Amino acid sequence: MSHHARKGFAAVAAAAALSLVAAGCAAQSSDDDDTPEGGATAAERELAAVPGFDPAAGVIKIGDILALSGPISATAKEQLVGQQIWFDKVNEQGGIAGKYKIELITEDNQYNPQLTVQAYQKIADEVVMLSGVLGSPSVKALIPLLDRTDALAVPSAQDPSFAKDPAVLPTFPSYQTNVTNAVSYLVSQDEKFKTARYCQLVMDSDWGIAVSEGVAWVTGKIGAPTGTIQKFAALDTAFTAQITALKNDNCEVVVFGGAANNLPSVVAAATQLDFQPQWIAEFIALATAFKTSDIAPYLTENMIFTGPGAKLDDESVEGIRNLLAGLGDTEITVQHVYGYMQAVATTTLLEKAVELGDLSGPGLRRAATELDSISFQGLGGDVTLGEPEERVLPRATTIYHYNPAAPSGLEAAAVGYQAPEGFDDHF
Amino acid sequence: MTSEAAAGPGASAPSAAGAAGGILVPRLTQSWRSRLFIVLGLALIVIVPTNVGSTYWLTVLNGVGVAAIAAVGLNVLTGYAGQLSLGQSFFVGIGAFSAQYFGGSLDLPMVLWLPLAGLLAAAAGGAVAPFALRLRGPYLAIVSLSLVFLGIYIARNIPSVTGGYNGTVVEATATLGPIDFERPTIGGLSFSREQGMFLLTWSVLAVVLLLVANIMRTRAGRAMQASRDHDIAAEVLGVRMLRTQVNAFVVASGIGGIAGALLAVNLEYIRPENFDVALAVQYLAIIVIGGLGTLFGPVLGALFVGLVPVLVDEISGSLPFMSEAGSDGLSTTDLTLILYGSLIVLFLTLEPRGLVQILRRTSVWLRSRRSPR
Amino acid sequence: MTEQTTPTAAPSLTEAPATPARDPAPTGRTQPPAGRPPILRVRDVSLRFGGVTALNGVTFSVEDGEFFAIIGPNGAGKTSLLNVLNGFYRPQSGSVELGEHALVGQRPARIASWGVARTFQNLALFEDLTVLENVVVGRHHLMRSGVIAGAFWWGRARAEEREARRACVPLLELTGLDPIAGALVRDLPYGVKKRVELARALAMQPRLLLLDEPVAGMNAAETDELAGWVQTVRRELGLTVVMIEHDMALVSKVAERVLVLDFGEVICCEPPEVAMRDPRVVRAYLGGGDDALVEEVAGQVADLAAERGPGAGERDQAGGEAGKAAGAAGAGRAAGENGEAR
C-alpha cells in the first residue's frame, strides 16, 4: 500500500509540474504595462485597440447588466429600449466621433449582486464600459472588480454614495433629492404643507433609509412636524396594519418609498380605510397599466410623483422628441427616459475619451474627470463631473401630477424643479 | 491526503489476515480507481486555474467551490446526522462578516481570520444544537429557517460590523505567508485574482473533505450516522444524543463559516441579504441532488447547481427561437430556469440517491462492458 | 477464534453488598437459587402511562451468568419492563440495580456504558452502515476519541479505531458474519440482520444482554439458527441474558428460569417447564376462560412439552394454535442443535 502512496505523490508532482509548464497561456508576465503614452494629440495618433474596441471594424462595444427576468424585468426592459433609441440615433449620425458605431451587449443579473459580478466577468473582455448596472446592491458588488481593472460603469441606481466613486459615472439625482424636491414643491404650492404632519411608508431596505434621510432633512429645513415611519418588505401585499398606523397618527403627507408592485395593495388598503392624505411617490412606484385600473382615481386625487424627465409629450424637448420618434406606437414611460439618459451619459463620455485618444478603462476614467458636466437634452438637471470628489449629482427633478389622460399617466407639474431650500451636501 | 489514505497499519493481526485482514483500518479509499480519482482531483486544483484564463469561468468555478464547502458542512448535519436544516446560510453569513471584521476591520492575517470565521460560526452552531435535540424533521427545518431571518435582522442592525443595509466592501486580504492569493506569482509569471482564489477555495475544499472523511470513519462520525439511522438503537449502544447533536451542528456550521469567509473574499462585497433563505435552499438542493450522506455528493451537486444554468445559458444564446433582449417572449434566463428545473426533477425521479449514485452505477456498467464475458 | 484478546464478559462483577432487607416475593420464587450472586435486582417497579398501568409492583432478580426469560401474552408489559431496564422508561416507583449501579433515572447511554446491551423486537440497525461499522458502534462507550481527534486522524483516534475493529473481528467470526463484514446492512436478508444486531450488542462487552423477541418473524429454520448463535455466544462469553420471547420451544430450551407477566404483574417465576404447566399461566395466555378449559389446555401443553416441547400462542388464538406452534417448535429443536454444533 505504501507504493500506492508514492505513486500518488509522483502523479501529483508530475501534474503540478505539467500544469506550471502549461501555465504560460493563462498567466501574464509580471512587468506587462504598456499604457499608451500621452504626448501626441489625438488627431495625430491612431486610436489604440482595447478590449471591446476594434479600430479596424470601427465598433465600440458596451455592456448593460440589468434584470431581464424576474419581478422587475418589465422596468428593466423599458430602460433597455430607452438606451437603444439613443444609441441608434448616434449610430445613424455616424457614431462616436462620426466613425465608431456603438454595439450594445446585454446580460441578465436578475437583480442579484452575485450574478452581476458573474455577468460582468463574462463580458468584461468584450466591452469598453457598462452603460447600465441595475440596482444599488449590484453596483456596489461590482465596484471592487471595476476598481481592480480600472473600468467604469453607469449605474441604473440612485444611491448618492456613487456620486464620488471613480468607478462610476453618476447620472441621476439621488432618492434624497427626489424627496426633497417633492416636499419643497408641495410647500411652494400651498402654505398648509409647511405645518403638515409628514409620515413615511417605506421599504425595509437601504432605499427606504435613503428616502427617510431625505424626509428628515427637508422637514427639518421647513420646520414641519414628522410622524410615524411604517416599513414593509419588498414582496408584501397586505398593508392594512401600516395604513391603520398612519391614519391613527393623523398623517397629512405620506412619503411612499416602494415599487410598482407594492402600490396597488397600498392604494387598496388606503381606500378601504378611507385614508386620503397627500402622497409623495417616486416614478419607480408607477406602471403604465395603472391608467386603466381601479386605483387611477385615487392616484389622481392624492398622489404626486417625482423623478427625472420632462413633460412626456413635449416634442420641443430634444430627448422627448428622440424618444417619441424611436418608440413609435409604444407609450413613453419614465423608465424609457431613465435608460435614454444613461445612454446619453455613455456617449458623452465616449466622445470625450475618443477626443483624448484613449478608450481603455483608465482612459475613460480620465475622460470623466476632464468633463465638466453632462447635460441630458432637457430630461433632467446636469450632473457635475471633474475629479471624483468634486462631483455633484443633478439637483433638478420633475414633479408630476397623476392624470390618466397623460402619457404613462404622468402630467408634468413642474419641470426641472430644484428645491430653494437647498440640499444636504451628500445627497 | 493520499499518503494518509494509503497508510495502513504496519502490524495487522496475522490471524485476521484472511477474510478480515483488510478491514482492520477504516480506509479513505477502497480501490486504486478511487485513489486515482483523488490524485486527479488534487492535480486539477493546480491545473485548472493555471490553464483557464477566463475570469468569468474562474468566477463561476470559485462560486461552485465555495458552495461545495458550505454544502459539505450541511451534509454533515443533514446527510450524515439526519437533521433537516434550512439554516446553513445563517452560519455562512456569520463566517462572511467575521472574515471582514477580523481580516478587514482588524486587519488580521488569513491564518487568523479564516479559522476565526469557522470558530465563531461553530460556536453559534453549538449554541443552537440543544434546541435541535427536541425538534425533528420539519419542525427543525422551520426553526432553522427562522435563524436565517433572525440573522438578517441582526446583521442589518449592527452596521459597525456588517455595514447594515448597505453591506460592506470586504477588505480582508487572502495572503498566507509569502503566497498572495489575490495576485499570485510563480517565477516571473503573475496570475489573476480569480486564479489565486480558485487555488485557495478548492484547496480549502480538499482539506474540508479530508476532515469530514476522517470524522465519518471514526467514533464521532459513526455516532452521527447511527443516530440518523436509528436514534433509539444508538442511544442504547451508548451514543449520547446531545453530544452527537452538538458535534454535528458544530462541524456543519464551522465548515459553513469557513465557506462564508471564502465567499466574502471572493465576492468582495457582502450584505445581510446575501445570506437569505434562497441561499439556504440552494445548499439543501446541492446535497440532495449530489447525494445525501456521501462524501463527494456535495461537490457534484455544487457543480450541477453552479454549472448547469451557466452552460444552458451558453447554449440557449445561440438558439434561433430565443427572443431579443428587451423584447417580450422567452428569454435565455427563462429557458435556463425551465431546463434547470426539469433536469432536477428528472435526475431525482430517476435516481433519488443523487448524482453520486448515478456515477457509481455508470462506472459499474462500464466495467461490466469492458470485462470479457 | 483467534489468539487475540477475545472480548470476555464484562469486568467481573464486584460483589454487591448484601442487602439484608429484601422484599418478600409477591408470588412464586422470584429470588435466584442460592449460590450465585444476583447481577440484576428489580424491586417493586411500577410504571404508568396516564391512567394505564403497564407494570405493577414487579420484583425479580437475575443471577450472574443466568439465562432468564420473560414471557407473557401480548400487552403484558414485557417490552415496557425491558425499556425500564435500559432507561427508556422511568418507573414511578421501585428500584433497578445492576451490580452497584442504580439504573432508575439514568439515561440509556449511561446504562449502556455500565454494560447493558439489548436487541430490539423489530430490527434496529443502522441500515446505511456496513456490518462491521454497525458492530463497531457497539464499542462506542468503550472508546474515547472526540470529533477533533477523529477529524485530524490523530494517534489516539487512529489507534482506537484499529483496536475496535480488531476486537470486533472475533465477534464477526463467532456470528458467522466475517465474510460479509463490508456489506451494507440494508442489502442483507432478515435473518442475517438479526445476527448483526446480536453481534453489535456483544461488541458492547455487556455484563447483561437483553433480547427482545429475538426470533420474532423468523421461520423455524431461522429460529433454530439464531438460537444456536445465541447459545454459542453465551457459552463463549459467559453472558447473563434476559430474553423476552413468545416461542415457548425456544424458551424451554434455553432459559433456566422464566418470569411470567400478565397485565403488568408477575404471575410466577419458575423453571420453564413448571411455569408452562401452571394453570395461572395458561389462563393468562387464554385471556380468561373457565376452569375446565384451562385444565384441559394445561394438560395438553404438559403432554406436548413432555413429548416434543411446549408451544406458545397469542392471547386470542392460544388454544387453536397451540398444537401447530408446538409442532414447529419441535422441528426447530433438532435443527437448533445442528446450529449449535457449528
Side-chain angles (χ1 to χ4, degrees), chain A residues 202-205 231-239 242 261-262, chain B residues 156:
Chain A
V202 294
M203 197 180 284
D204 196 3
S205 69
K231 298 196 171 182
F232 61 93
L235 297 175
D236 277 0
T237 50
F239 288 90
Q242 289 95 329
N261 61 314
N262 308 119
Chain B
R156 281 173 173 174

Side-chain angles (χ1 to χ4, degrees), chain C residues 112-143:
Chain C
S113 72
W114 289 333
V116 177
R118 108 169 243 191
T119 67
F120 290 82
Q121 180 177 352
N122 302 309
L123 285 169
L125 288 168
F126 312 126
E127 297 274 326
D128 281 331
L129 298 182
T130 64
V131 170
L132 178 69
E133 282 168 335
N134 265 272
V135 176
V136 173
V137 176
R139 289 186 59 92
H140 187 85
H141 71 102
L142 300 169
M143 300 164 75

Side-chain angles (χ1 to χ4, degrees), chain B residues 101-150:
Chain B
Y101 182 73
F102 293 117
S105 303
L106 301 185
D107 206 19
L108 298 176
M110 188 170 78
V111 283
L112 291 179
W113 64 251
L114 190 55
L116 276 171
L119 283 176
L120 228 66
V128 172
F131 295 97
L133 198 61
R134 300 212 147 262
L135 300 161
R136 286 288 150 91
Y139 299 100
L140 178 60
I142 298 296
V143 169
S144 62
L145 193 63
S146 66
L147 272 185
V148 176
F149 292 111
L150 194 71

Side-chain angles (χ1 to χ4, degrees), chain A residues 336-366:
Chain A
H336 290 132
V337 174
Y338 198 84
Y340 186 89
M341 290 171 70
Q342 292 176 293
V344 170
T346 303
T347 56
T348 309
L349 182 71
L350 288 174
E351 292 279 2
K352 185 74 182 175
V354 170
E355 184 191 319
L356 294 170
D358 185 1
L359 277 175
S360 69
L364 288 166
R365 285 188 174 202
R366 193 167 64 242

Side-chain angles (χ1 to χ4, degrees), chain A residues 23-107:
Chain A
C25 59
Q28 292 169 340
S29 158
S30 290
D31 44 16
D32 175 23
D33 186 26
D34 46 5
T35 37
E37 296 294 315
T41 65
E44 301 165 39
R45 202 178 52 221
E46 180 63 30
L47 205 49
V50 293
F53 170 61
D54 177 5
V59 172
I60 298 174
K61 290 184 181 168
I62 52 183
D64 188 5
I65 300 175
L66 67 180
L68 292 172
S69 58
I72 62 162
S73 61
T75 300
K77 285 171 182 172
E78 285 177 358
Q79 290 183 10
L80 184 56
V81 168
Q83 283 203 17
Q84 196 63 56
I85 286 173
W86 174 243
F87 291 137
D88 287 349
K89 182 87 184 168
V90 169
N91 287 343
E92 224 171 78
Q93 294 162 351
I96 301 291
K99 50 183 174 177
Y100 303 122
K101 295 274 195 297
I102 291 170
E103 198 180 310
L104 192 59
I105 296 176
T106 56
E107 281 296 328

Side-chain angles (χ1 to χ4, degrees), chain B residues 4 11 13 15 23-26 211 214-215 217-219 222-223 225-226 228-230 232-233 235-238, chain C residues 2-4 86 88 107 109 112 124 126-129 136 140 143 145 150-151 153 161-162 165-166 200 204:
Chain B
E4 213 32 286
S15 63
I23 61 175
L24 280 180
V25 168
L211 295 183
N214 280 339
I215 290 173
R217 62 175 171 158
T218 51
R219 179 173 178 263
R222 215 165 30 237
Q225 297 169 74
R228 166 198 67 195
D229 283 359
H230 206 299
I232 291 175
E235 217 173 343
V236 168
L237 291 165
Chain C
T2 71
E3 72 274 275
Q4 222 105 66
N86 79 340
F88 279 129
R107 306 197 119 268
F126 312 126
E127 297 274 326
D128 281 331
L129 298 182
V136 173
H140 187 85
M143 300 164 75
S145 68
W153 195 230
E161 285 301 318
R162 209 173 297 159
R165 275 148 201 264
R166 200 168 289 162
R200 188 180 69 182
M204 295 178 71

Side-chain angles (χ1 to χ4, degrees), chain C residues 7-83:
Chain C
T8 50
S12 69
L13 181 61
T14 47
E15 200 64 32
T19 33
R22 276 182 189 165
D23 293 342
T27 30
R29 187 161 56 90
T30 53
Q31 301 309 322
R36 289 186 288 182
I39 183 174
L40 177 71
R41 284 202 197 91
V42 177
R43 259 179 272 180
D44 202 21
V45 163
S46 295
L47 176 70
R48 282 180 298 279
F49 299 107
V52 181
T53 300
L55 296 172
N56 190 12
V58 172
T59 298
F60 67 95
S61 51
V62 179
E63 63 195 68
D64 197 6
E66 192 180 15
F67 203 126
F68 189 88
I70 299 172
I71 63 171
N74 280 351
K78 304 186 297 293
T79 299
S80 295
L81 181 54
L82 229 54
N83 283 340

